[in-house]
Amino acid sequence: MDMDQAAVFLAGTILTALGFIVVLIAIVIANNIIHRWWKPLGWTFGWIATPTRFATPEELEQSPKIEPVIDKKNEPKTTTN
């Protein structure tokens, strides 16, 4: 490989990488423009993962229902005679 071929190869590599970067930036910009109307595809491989369930706005407005936890390990044991 002489100097001319090496220079062309280097320039081609750099221009190809810049082209990929420009395409990726264009995809990100297009995605940001249409994100408001984008709907999830809703498919998964059933044998790999179960479908994800997201909280609805009504569920997020409700206060969390957390039951109190009673630790019975530290309570004194009662014996009946």
Side-chain angles (χ1 to χ4, degrees):
M1 179 180 280
D2 61 349
M3 191 62 123
D4 290 336
Q5 288 177 336
V8 169
F9 180 77
L10 179 63
T13 304
I14 292 171
L15 290 175
T16 302
L18 288 175
F20 283 134
I21 291 171
V22 167
V23 168
L24 287 176
I25 290 172
I27 290 171
V28 168
I29 290 171
N31 185 31
N32 287 336
I33 290 171
I34 65 170
H35 80 279
R36 183 175 313 167
W37 302 282
W38 183 263
K39 301 292 181 200
L41 297 177
W43 61 272
T44 59
F45 297 107
W47 62 90
I48 295 175
T50 58
T52 305
R53 181 187 175 278
F54 296 101
T56 61
E58 294 83 19
E59 291 174 336
L60 293 175
E61 292 173 357
Q62 296 176 355
S63 62
K65 298 175 183 174
I66 301 174
E67 297 293 326
V69 177
I70 300 172
D71 188 15
K72 296 194 179 239
K73 292 179 183 175
N74 296 332
E75 290 183 7
K77 293 184 179 181
T78 57
T79 58
T80 57
N81 288 340

